[in-house]
Amino acid sequence: MSQQGYVAAPPYSQAQPGMGGYQGGFGAGPAQPLYGHYGGQPQAFTAPPAGMMKSPVSSAAGMPPPPVSSQYNPNIQQNGAHPQRYPAPPAASSAYGQPLQSPYNSMASPAPHPAQQLTNQMSSMNLGNYAPGPMQSPPPPTSSVVQQPFQTGPPPTMGQQQMPPGQQTPLMPPQLSPPQPSPPSMAMGGPPMTGPPMTGPPMTGPPMAGMGRPFPGSPPPGPGGFQQSGPGAAGPLGYQQQGGPFGGPMAGPQPGMPGGFPGAPGGLAGPPQKKLDADSIPSITQVIEEDQRNQGGKVYSTNIRGQVPPLVTTDFSVQDQGNASPRFMRCTTNTLPCTADLAKQCQVPLATIIKPFASLPKNETPLYIVNHGETGPIRCNRCKAYMCPYMQFIDGGRRYQCGFCSCVNEVPVSYFQHLDHMGRRVDFYERPELSLGSYEFAATLEYCKNNKPSNPPAYIFMIDVSYNNIKSGLVKLICEELKTLLENLPREEGVESSAIKVGFVTYNKILHFYNVKSALAQPQMMVVSDTAEMFVPLLDGFLVNYEESRAVIFNLLDQIPDMFADTNESETVFAPVIQAGVEAFKAADCSGKLFIFQSSIPTAEAPGKLKNRDDKKLVNTEKEKTLFQPQKGVYEQLSKECVAQGCCVDLFLFPSQYVDLATMGDVPSHTGGSIYKYNNFQVETDGEHFLRDLRKDVQKSIGFDAIMRVRTSTGFRATDFFGAIHMNNTTDVEMAAVDCDKAVTVELKHDDTLSEETGALMQCALLYTTIGGQRRLRIHNLSLNCSSQLMELYKSCETDSLINFFAKSAYRAILNQPLKNVREILVNQTAHMLACYRKNCASPSAASQLILPSSMKVLPIYINSLMKSAPLVGSTELSTDERAHLRLSVMAMGVEDTQLLLYPRLIPLHNMDVSSEALPAPVRCSDEGLTDAGMFLLENGHSMFLWLGQASPPDLTQSLFNVPSLGHLQGHMCALPELDNPLSKKVRSIINSLLEKRPNSMKLQIVKQRDKPEMFFRQFLVEDKGLYGGASYMDFLTYVHKEIRQLLT
């Protein structure tokens, strides 16, 4: 393919330097060291020649080619002469383990598994205005595609294999024959190709056996020539999923479309670039719908190593067959690169997101509990990994080889069992630890503190009774709610009442402890006014069993609001309140949780007193990071004490002004706690919203005094941990508590080469105390593939997991670096990952085309949305506390929560079928989706809006609000009236099901089009320009494309 064969069409609109809305542009290299992965700066890309190389075709369907020396050595001549137009690569690059800087990376991929062919065909997209239709098509599970034999005929000429739209298969398999010259009709949006096509060095990049062939137009002739369906033929969505031009379609000729553009003569580069049609660029809603269509309602079995699970948004069931369910563990890629050099080359972060206590749907089996008696769980002698499906029994079952460190261990006599003819133990299916990915062990005394059995945890409710909370009615609201809430304390399966003990404290400048012993007729108050030396004034009667002391507790809850009704005290303390909780748990020798209801910044003279340090002048300066850093000292020490005692802190804040949330949230965010915030709280409008949070928080499933360790097989290890956690050393993740919504993101790094044969194994072991006071070990095991082909890595990436990792690492980085650097690093790394794909995995195409791997095609939307999120924006209009709150919340989130936060759901309600059970399909999160006569519900897990178009039909407003028109609607409604009509019932049921499903409650805000509050709603339309700065998705995509092109040249 001669180099003149491509005319680079410029992108439809050149990205301006300093791109829309971000100060000073964000293209330049970061001034400070990367917080990024694998240390170094993004590597420069040497330009691949226009006709990028492909690897030799595999020897057999789906099998890697034989290890011939020529395989990865671009110097060996294959397929004819070595035309001069390719610069000869340096000999050094022949070994594929080297960091490759040569013009064509020797890191080629052999033909992808034919099992991937379907996957593959969809995997990269043509972004162009000829295909307004949707185009998402996530790969089906690899196991489900029929393998196809290789074919040895010459590649079909363009115009033979034109398939009718809607067909996806007969994809022609790769050829094994020498390349044939291509017919002149093969216009690629550029002049016809001259010269023997693709003669030359063996090609790196997978032959067109599938995945991610961003080859616009006809098949590349040559090894691996592969007939792609043209535009309009890739599946039901009418999209040529092959790499797409960014500057207009450069697709191969279609009937009636002789050249690269509709109506362009075959040899021309097309008409002047038009602005891209928004419908033709990748859309998250389509990706989600497609995955739901392909995998929704199905059973996902975890018996295949390294398979890519359905998206977090898809509704599926899991059958545990030896690997942990994706509800517990997800990875940024399910195929790890074999070497550190490869990892560095592609810069795809390697990480796993672990949610050890994830809730399972009713139709999935809860974890089995394995009890090995006095001896405790069976473990490897060397690496201490627990018995799991990756242990290989040998020697007739008398010994086993550890899958993690290969140490051979004796099987204890009590655990011995014979092996069957396949070398498996005959009790394989009876033992969860041999056949399942997730299970629990009952822990023995050696796993308990001080080798004695642990006590059930306790919950202490600590209520700020200063002036603000009394005046707002909050104290009364909490006391009333606790009467019913305490009936629903979490309890062990099959037990009548909860073992959790409860205690009560009220405070302002001083602390009041209450004795609620069941023998008392009236509760007794004890006051501690010396907040500098905190102690608990009573041992017996402070922490009690709710059932036994119910009468006394009710009495107390009735009295508290009256006792402080006339208070004038507006100052509060905070650190001594936490200290009191820790001391109470120490005295009772148990772990537990503090529920603290605080109204304002602690200004009273006491340890942990805070001052207002909010300074908008620091925004967009080097010192902006100090706004996110907690005040050192008292709170840091408190966190350590809390974790050591297993004391988790949940903070409910009701501020009317700045409270230094960065510091007040420090203890909750290191103890597995949560922070809830209700600005300018009013019982009428915020009461129900707060109570929903409180109920969820008290009732959720949870483990206490937890310590987690992630073990890996040789060759890689866990190096960094993000979450609501505390790290005393580099390996033990300590959590005072861990609940069903908390996730820990774990970064992985190589310390040696990984083997494709054995793959990579991980075991997450979590030791914790149950709500019934038992010590348990929860084990999650996961096996991943390893490959020396970058193609395989890109194929098995999970965008939702990647964005969880990027969000957490960026939010941690802003503690130490200027925001501008962090944003630049995000863009650079995104461009680098995509450029590496383009260079090493995609077929040659014009530079003006933006080519994205299927698995990452929506990554740019998420990255752009992340950069517009409050912590990263750098706007003086945003409250510092809001930014700090979001930063701390995200650090503990799992994959589904970050996905929804960064791409809210926008659900049209005006045209739905009220009789249908299903939720209406969400539309793109952009202004363009809204209609004047429409009604939309937007939610992101933290905020919820009902948006009403100004031309909403009167019958709609009548049915929902019982008013004749929008003009009659009251300003501050926070709930829909309960009306007896189908639309009202349907909308309320949708809202309630979403509130039920999300970890946090959301306050419904009703906004009318063009009303002032609508501005607040619009900042959640993440595909549009940011309200406080930040580019639209379209502009950002153009910008990233420009960065990719710079990297490639």
Side-chain angles (χ1 to χ4, degrees):
M1 197 180 294
S2 73
Q3 221 145 349
Q4 315 86 34
Y6 279 116
V7 175
Y12 64 87
S13 62
Q14 297 296 340
Q16 277 69 36
M19 149 167 189
Y22 287 115
Q23 303 81 0
F26 50 97
Q32 297 209 358
L34 279 172
Y35 71 83
H37 317 292
Y38 313 109
Q41 294 278 17
Q43 297 169 314
F45 275 84
T46 36
M52 204 175 315
M53 305 174 3
K54 302 228 166 329
S55 70
V57 187
S58 295
S59 45
M63 297 303 292
V68 195
S69 60
S70 72
Q71 168 77 29
Y72 293 102
N73 187 341
N75 290 321
I76 293 187
Q77 298 196 359
Q78 195 174 323
N79 302 339
H82 205 327
Q84 279 320 99
R85 56 178 182 264
Y86 292 109
S93 71
S94 58
Y96 63 77
Q98 302 298 318
L100 299 158
Q101 300 288 12
S102 70
Y104 0 84
N105 272 328
S106 32
M107 189 22 253
S109 316
H113 218 304
Q116 300 286 355
Q117 290 182 180
L118 214 133
T119 320
N120 300 348
Q121 175 211 9
M122 309 179 210
S123 71
S124 35
M125 344 143 334
N126 224 340
L127 306 182
N129 36 10
Y130 58 77
M135 63 199 158
Q136 301 319 57
S137 206
T142 50
S143 52
S144 64
V145 185
V146 196
Q147 299 223 349
Q148 299 180 355
F150 276 23
Q151 210 176 297
T152 42
T157 55
M158 198 55 196
Q160 268 173 11
Q161 277 284 135
Q162 287 307 347
M163 290 180 283
Q167 265 178 258
Q168 258 172 325
T169 25
L171 299 174
M172 288 282 251
Q175 272 67 41
L176 291 174
S177 69
Q180 307 289 320
S182 149
S185 69
M186 227 177 108
M188 301 265 175
M193 305 201 284
T194 53
M198 293 284 201
T199 43
M203 316 215 261
T204 62
M208 301 285 276
M211 189 74 184
R213 308 308 19 217
F215 202 97
S218 74
F226 189 90
Q227 174 63 44
Q228 290 299 344
S229 49
L237 297 175
Y239 211 88
Q240 183 203 355
Q241 288 285 19
Q242 291 321 314
F246 207 53
M250 295 213 172
Q254 290 297 298
M257 201 194 275
F261 293 80
L268 299 183
Q273 304 298 320
K274 294 202 291 289
K275 183 159 170 68
L276 247 186
D277 169 19
D279 289 336
S280 66
I281 54 177
S283 144
I284 289 178
T285 48
Q286 285 167 0
V287 168
I288 289 173
E289 268 174 54
E290 186 76 22
D291 199 67
Q292 178 62 38
R293 217 173 17 246
N294 292 337
Q295 317 212 44
K298 296 190 181 160
V299 174
Y300 171 80
S301 293
T302 67
N303 54 347
I304 299 172
R305 182 176 87 190
Q307 66 180 330
V308 182
L311 297 179
V312 283
T313 44
T314 298
D315 186 22
F316 62 101
S317 323
V318 179
Q319 189 176 21
D320 186 339
Q321 295 191 344
N323 283 299
S325 156
R327 301 190 205 290
F328 296 122
M329 292 178 84
R330 280 184 177 266
C331 297
T332 51
T333 174
N334 295 279
T335 302
L336 299 184
C338 283
T339 63
D341 286 337
L342 268 184
K344 190 172 176 185
Q345 186 188 340
C346 67
Q347 286 201 12
V348 174
L350 309 178
T352 176
I353 297 98
I354 305 172
K355 204 179 197 180
F357 269 81
S359 311
L360 296 177
K362 302 246 184 313
N363 60 353
E364 292 179 21
T365 324
L367 301 194
Y368 289 100
I369 300 164
V370 179
N371 195 335
H372 284 164
E374 302 277 296
T375 54
I378 313 281
R379 304 177 69 175
C380 168
N381 289 329
R382 183 196 291 160
C383 70
K384 299 290 182 254
Y386 294 87
M387 180 52 69
C388 69
Y390 315 139
M391 303 298 189
Q392 184 69 42
F393 287 88
I394 51 175
D395 202 5
R398 286 187 290 278
R399 295 152 79 202
Y400 67 91
Q401 183 168 25
C402 172
F404 296 91
C405 69
S406 306
C407 172
V408 174
N409 298 269
E410 297 294 325
V411 173
V413 178
S414 59
Y415 195 66
F416 174 77
Q417 187 53 272
H418 293 286
L419 307 185
D420 64 13
H421 65 288
M422 290 167 67
R424 267 206 314 219
R425 284 172 56 122
V426 295
D427 61 356
F428 178 80
Y429 288 110
E430 289 146 43
R431 291 194 176 271
E433 74 274 24
L434 301 181
S435 54
L436 298 179
S438 300
Y439 42 86
E440 295 200 314
F441 287 119
T444 49
L445 285 180
E446 65 188 285
Y447 293 93
C448 300
K449 265 199 184 137
N450 309 328
N451 293 350
K452 57 178 201 262
S454 41
N455 293 314
Y459 283 1
I460 305 179
F461 297 90
M462 313 180 103
I463 306 169
D464 163 2
V465 288
S466 64
Y467 178 74
N468 281 349
N469 279 358
I470 294 288
K471 187 187 67 172
S472 70
L474 176 70
V475 173
K476 191 171 174 47
L477 185 72
I478 294 170
C479 291
E480 282 304 310
E481 178 65 25
L482 284 178
K483 292 178 186 173
T484 48
L485 191 54
L486 294 174
E487 301 281 350
N488 301 322
L489 289 171
R491 52 178 188 259
E492 294 272 16
E493 286 288 316
V495 181
E496 294 235 335
S497 66
S498 174
I500 295 174
K501 295 235 167 86
V502 294
F504 303 89
V505 171
T506 55
Y507 67 94
N508 39 47
K509 276 204 317 207
I510 56 180
L511 278 76
H512 324 105
F513 294 80
Y514 297 92
N515 183 344
V516 283
K517 208 156 112 184
S518 57
L520 296 172
Q522 281 287 333
Q524 296 172 345
M525 179 205 270
M526 296 190 176
V527 178
V528 176
S529 51
D530 181 4
T531 49
E533 295 294 324
M534 205 58 227
F535 68 99
V536 179
L538 71 161
L539 290 179
D540 192 26
F542 178 57
L543 294 178
V544 297
N545 179 306
Y546 167 72
E547 303 281 329
E548 292 166 15
S549 295
R550 181 187 283 139
V552 193
I553 290 172
F554 267 49
N555 211 325
L556 170 68
L557 294 173
D558 283 338
Q559 291 177 30
I560 287 176
D562 299 337
M563 260 191 287
F564 299 98
D566 303 325
T567 186
N568 292 323
E569 186 52 75
S570 58
E571 286 198 310
T572 57
V573 295
F574 181 57
V577 180
I578 299 175
Q579 189 73 53
V582 177
E583 297 302 330
F585 291 150
K586 275 186 189 157
D589 193 21
C590 67
S591 51
K593 184 185 265 203
L594 309 179
F595 295 82
I596 303 181
F597 305 92
Q598 169 102 9
S599 63
S600 57
I601 190 166
T603 51
E605 278 309 322
K609 173 185 173 178
L610 296 174
K611 57 182 192 299
N612 186 338
R613 59 185 185 114
D614 190 15
D615 185 356
K616 289 289 198 295
K617 288 200 287 295
L618 299 180
V619 173
N620 287 320
T621 69
E622 289 282 319
K623 290 192 176 154
E624 183 169 6
K625 58 191 176 204
T626 59
L627 296 175
F628 298 110
Q629 294 165 355
Q631 302 277 319
K632 291 276 183 268
V634 177
Y635 292 101
E636 206 172 6
Q637 187 51 39
L638 258 182
S639 292
K640 289 182 181 150
E641 286 183 45
C642 285
V643 171
Q645 189 52 47
C647 166
C648 165
V649 178
D650 276 354
L651 179 57
F652 293 81
L653 278 169
F654 304 87
S656 51
Q657 53 202 37
Y658 175 78
V659 289
D660 193 357
L661 196 139
T663 303
M664 291 186 77
D666 194 43
V667 177
S669 63
H670 281 94
T671 57
S674 307
I675 305 160
Y676 302 91
K677 182 161 164 285
Y678 312 90
N679 297 340
N680 303 316
F681 178 83
Q682 291 176 319
V683 170
E684 304 71 51
T685 53
D686 305 283
E688 199 43 49
H689 168 44
F690 154 63
L691 292 178
R692 275 195 303 258
D693 272 333
L694 179 58
R695 287 171 202 139
K696 279 189 182 215
D697 199 45
V698 169
Q699 295 167 17
K700 61 171 71 163
S701 61
I702 187 167
F704 288 94
D705 202 8
I707 186 160
M708 182 175 98
R709 185 172 272 198
V710 178
R711 292 182 173 84
T712 53
S713 51
T714 47
F716 75 118
R717 66 200 158 85
T719 56
D720 210 350
F721 302 87
F722 303 85
I725 55 173
H726 176 74
M727 304 284 297
N728 249 341
N729 54 37
T730 53
T731 53
D732 295 329
V733 179
E734 295 181 60
M735 293 172 279
V738 54
D739 64 48
C740 55
D741 300 319
K742 299 287 184 292
V744 180
T745 300
V746 182
E747 189 175 2
L748 309 166
K749 293 257 172 83
H750 287 78
D751 43 21
D752 205 348
T753 302
L754 298 171
S755 136
E756 297 201 13
E757 204 172 315
T758 54
L761 310 177
M762 279 188 281
Q763 182 178 79
C764 159
L766 179 85
L767 175 65
Y768 72 100
T769 302
T770 68
I771 42 184
Q774 298 174 320
R775 208 71 177 136
R776 296 242 183 98
L777 280 152
R778 180 169 281 221
I779 311 292
H780 297 299
N781 302 292
L782 188 62
S783 60
L784 302 178
N785 286 335
C786 298
S787 176
S788 50
Q789 312 302 339
L790 282 178
M791 192 63 192
E792 295 302 318
L793 174 139
Y794 279 103
K795 220 155 42 178
S796 64
C797 278
E798 280 189 62
T799 294
D800 296 338
S801 300
L802 278 169
I803 199 66
N804 176 281
F805 177 84
F806 280 127
K808 290 187 182 187
S809 47
Y811 282 3
R812 180 187 289 174
I814 61 179
L815 292 176
N816 314 309
Q817 297 194 40
L819 263 65
K820 184 164 167 279
N821 291 15
V822 175
R823 288 196 301 261
E824 281 168 3
I825 290 165
L826 281 171
V827 181
N828 289 344
Q829 194 165 351
T830 304
H832 199 111
M833 294 187 324
L834 298 174
C836 178
Y837 173 82
R838 167 84 186 240
K839 182 179 178 193
N840 298 296
C841 309
S843 41
S845 56
S848 60
Q849 289 183 312
L850 173 64
I851 293 177
L852 304 170
S854 167
S855 60
M856 287 186 191
K857 60 188 163 195
V858 291
L859 183 68
I861 310 187
Y862 284 118
I863 293 284
N864 188 37
S865 176
L866 173 60
M867 297 205 312
K868 291 191 284 191
S869 65
L872 290 179
V873 159
S875 160
T876 51
E877 290 176 50
L878 288 165
S879 112
T880 304
D881 279 341
E882 287 298 323
R883 299 174 72 196
H885 184 214
L886 186 60
R887 191 189 87 76
L888 292 173
S889 303
V890 166
M891 293 310 278
M893 279 185 189
V895 178
E896 49 276 57
D897 303 335
T898 45
Q899 186 279 329
L900 184 65
L901 181 74
L902 293 171
Y903 199 84
R905 293 174 97 177
L906 185 59
I907 305 168
L909 299 178
H910 48 279
N911 51 8
M912 65 179 169
D913 175 4
V914 289
S915 57
S916 154
E917 285 294 291
L919 195 68
V923 294
R924 295 182 80 139
C925 205
S926 156
D927 179 51
E928 306 203 345
L930 303 173
T931 54
D932 284 3
M935 173 174 72
F936 293 81
L937 186 71
L938 181 141
E939 59 107 14
N940 71 350
H942 289 255
S943 305
M944 182 184 267
F945 295 89
L946 184 60
W947 182 91
L948 304 163
Q950 56 185 9
S952 301
D955 55 337
L956 203 72
T957 46
Q958 187 69 51
S959 303
L960 273 187
F961 304 103
N962 206 17
V963 295
S965 74
L966 282 186
H968 294 75
L969 209 54
Q970 290 304 308
H972 295 292
M973 288 181 73
C974 54
L976 294 178
E978 297 198 14
L979 304 175
D980 189 12
N981 66 64
L983 182 68
S984 175
K985 286 178 179 165
K986 175 75 179 170
V987 172
R988 282 181 290 119
S989 97
I990 288 175
I991 290 173
N992 291 336
S993 72
L994 290 173
L995 290 174
E996 188 60 35
K997 209 163 145 184
R998 306 292 174 227
N1000 291 8
S1001 160
M1002 295 174 278
K1003 176 182 168 183
L1004 179 66
Q1005 298 169 69
I1006 294 168
V1007 296
K1008 293 185 272 190
Q1009 186 178 12
R1010 303 213 165 87
D1011 261 17
K1012 209 169 170 202
E1014 197 204 13
M1015 284 302 285
F1016 187 58
F1017 160 82
R1018 287 190 175 269
Q1019 68 181 1
F1020 294 96
L1021 300 175
V1022 296
E1023 291 198 20
D1024 300 339
K1025 272 201 166 60
L1027 202 58
Y1028 304 110
S1032 69
Y1033 167 37
M1034 188 78 88
D1035 291 344
F1036 181 70
L1037 205 52
T1038 315
Y1039 185 83
V1040 167
H1041 183 208
K1042 187 179 130 215
E1043 291 291 293
I1044 292 171
R1045 290 167 67 183
Q1046 278 178 342
L1047 284 170
L1048 290 171
T1049 50

